[in-house]
Amino acid sequence: MDPIKTWLQRNLKGDPILWAIVILFSLISIAVVYSATGTLAYKKMSGNTEYFLVKHTGLIFVGLFFMWLAHRIDYRYYSRLSLYALLISVPLLLFTFFVGGEVNGASRWLTIPVINQTVQPSDLAKLALISHLASMLSRRQQHVQDFKTTLLPVMLWIGVICGLIILSNASTALLLFATCLLLMFIGRVPIKQMAVMVAIGAVVGGIGLSTGQRLQTVKSRIENFTDKTKPVPFQLEHSYIAIATGGITGKGPGQSTERNILPHPYSDFIYAVIIEEYGLAGGAFVLFLYLAFLYRGLKTVMNSYGAFGGLLSAGLAFSLVLQAMVNMGVAVGLGPITGLPLPLLSMGGTSLIFTGISIGIILSVSRGEREIRPMTGEPEDTVRIPKKTAYA
């Protein structure tokens, strides 16, 4: 056991509890996706149910590998890389909107040649914006109230990225905007300035929705959620059935029946399948894991000696957990249908890689770098976030 323990301590650095949570999520994901893809395999793979099991398991290992790579890099390097990633994201988002692959009336995907794997540029844009926002706020902690030098570039980048994403993906843009607001709050941006940011976001978001592809979809989903005289949408009705028939302990692994009826049971409504097969106990356990993930992410913020590390960890943790809460809320009827997958659990492609990179960056911050030596070209990141602000 000692050689194994030594190897783990040498190669898996950072918060060990966070590592355990991610590995547990991966095991749950493999089991649930294997169960939820039965109908899809029957239709597309002539009943070869192991196809999606092997593919999804392989992608999870790829995501874990990228997470391991990201956690080995000194997180201060991401301050520099984030700007380059943003500059790449803007033309990619525009290119995807005009000529990208269209699914369900939205152009969100680009197909990578040779490997024939789809990728959403919005995944790169989210990671880049959160990282660069953390960098900008950390550089200017002593001048955070200065509009021209601090808040103007922050607002410009948030407006550009969220405005481009909302053209084809309203829910992702809104969640990213909410994450940016949380990050600004933690970064001690005054409430008045944040109110200006909200007003700008409302204008840019309205323009983006009206000129983009999702306005009618957003309207219909909000109307279906708020107008109780309308029948419950098909997918939500069967999500309710899955949850109701799951009971306390569930039907058992692989015993879901609603997976054969629910649209995208392996992605958008995987939480309903989890409750059907593992009951409310299983659903509560998954919720607990996400809350534990958030807690460990915020604990990293409190232990960070540099503003950039704390803001970076907080932004990425909030981004993942907010999306998870929205997905689970939709499955139980607490919000309008969004089409967002459940992070760390839903079947995905390159999104698993970007999720792995995000968690790897959080682990990199949690390694406890004390930033005792400045890096050429890096921000003067010596201002520690006050304890009260880190809790905010």
Side-chain angles (χ1 to χ4, degrees):
M1 292 297 293
D2 287 339
I4 296 177
K5 184 177 179 181
T6 302
W7 185 91
L8 290 174
Q9 290 175 343
R10 184 181 300 118
N11 292 278
L12 303 184
K13 298 183 181 296
D15 187 348
I17 298 178
L18 198 55
W19 273 106
I21 291 172
V22 173
I23 292 172
L24 192 53
F25 267 127
S26 300
L27 295 174
I28 295 172
S29 178
I30 291 172
V32 178
V33 168
Y34 179 47
S35 173
T37 52
T39 301
L40 183 66
Y42 181 79
K43 291 179 178 178
K44 293 190 173 183
M45 299 297 160
S46 301
N48 180 16
T49 56
E50 284 74 22
Y51 173 80
F52 290 105
L53 170 64
V54 173
K55 180 180 179 181
H56 181 63
T57 303
L59 286 170
I60 282 182
F61 276 105
V62 171
L64 290 173
F65 174 71
F66 274 91
M67 182 177 77
W68 178 82
L69 282 181
H71 107 287
R72 299 287 296 182
I73 299 172
D74 188 322
Y75 69 86
R76 289 173 292 178
Y77 282 104
Y78 295 111
S79 174
R80 181 187 304 162
L81 294 173
S82 62
L83 178 58
Y84 299 136
L86 272 182
L87 295 175
I88 294 172
S89 298
V90 172
L92 279 179
L93 288 170
L94 287 170
F95 182 79
T96 304
F97 176 70
F98 288 109
V99 299
E102 185 172 319
V103 178
N104 296 327
S107 301
R108 303 176 185 173
W109 291 267
L110 290 177
T111 302
I112 302 175
V114 183
I115 63 174
N116 198 33
Q117 178 66 52
T118 57
V119 59
Q120 290 193 58
S122 59
D123 289 330
L124 174 63
K126 284 192 299 182
L127 179 59
L129 179 60
I130 292 171
S131 301
H132 192 58
L133 180 56
S135 177
M136 287 190 291
L137 291 175
S138 67
R139 290 172 185 267
R140 301 168 174 87
Q141 280 291 289
Q142 302 298 336
H143 309 283
V144 75
Q145 298 188 25
D146 188 289
F147 181 83
K148 183 177 180 180
T149 61
T150 302
L151 297 174
L152 183 59
V154 166
M155 292 177 179
L156 284 175
W157 274 118
I158 295 176
V160 168
I161 298 299
C162 291
L164 290 175
I165 293 177
I166 205 171
L167 293 171
S168 58
N169 195 338
S171 52
T172 296
L174 291 174
L175 274 181
L176 179 59
F177 184 72
T179 302
C180 291
L181 288 178
L182 282 170
L183 202 52
M184 292 171 68
F185 180 67
I186 296 173
R188 301 187 293 179
V189 173
I191 298 296
K192 290 182 180 180
Q193 306 288 2
M194 291 179 61
V196 174
M197 185 71 246
V198 172
I200 294 174
V203 173
V204 173
I207 296 173
L209 272 178
S210 60
T211 58
Q213 303 167 331
R214 307 301 286 169
L215 179 60
Q216 296 305 318
T217 301
V218 171
K219 281 184 176 180
S220 64
R221 287 177 174 176
I222 293 176
E223 289 173 359
N224 288 332
F225 177 72
T226 56
D227 190 350
K228 302 305 178 183
T229 62
K230 291 188 174 183
V232 177
F234 175 81
Q235 59 265 58
L236 196 55
E237 178 183 2
H238 286 277
S239 177
Y240 291 162
I241 294 173
I243 293 170
T245 56
I248 302 297
T249 58
K251 298 177 178 178
Q255 300 302 312
S256 170
T257 55
E258 292 303 314
R259 65 183 177 182
N260 301 317
I261 306 171
L262 267 169
H264 307 293
Y266 43 83
S267 179
D268 301 356
F269 285 92
I270 196 170
Y271 191 61
V273 175
I274 291 173
I275 296 179
E276 184 181 8
E277 294 190 345
Y278 299 94
L280 291 176
F285 180 67
V286 169
L287 175 61
F288 167 77
L289 284 180
Y290 280 113
L291 293 177
F293 180 93
L294 179 62
Y295 171 74
R296 300 308 300 186
L298 294 182
K299 191 172 180 63
T300 298
V301 175
M302 293 183 291
N303 293 335
S304 173
Y305 277 79
F308 175 60
L311 291 169
L312 183 61
S313 178
L316 295 174
F318 274 125
S319 175
L320 291 171
V321 176
L322 273 178
Q323 182 174 331
M325 293 301 169
V326 170
N327 177 282
M328 293 185 288
V330 168
V332 300
L334 295 179
I337 297 171
T338 61
L340 288 170
L342 188 58
L344 295 165
L345 289 179
S346 291
M347 184 173 75
T350 52
S351 62
L352 290 173
I353 294 176
F354 285 106
T355 299
I357 294 173
S358 299
I359 299 172
I361 294 173
I362 297 174
L363 287 167
S364 178
V365 177
S366 74
R367 289 171 59 183
E369 296 287 343
R370 291 296 181 257
E371 303 181 18
I372 57 176
R373 60 187 187 282
M375 290 171 49
T376 304
E378 291 300 309
E380 290 290 332
D381 192 12
T382 58
V383 181
R384 182 164 182 166
I385 300 176
K387 289 292 184 182
K388 291 183 180 180
T389 307
Y391 279 110

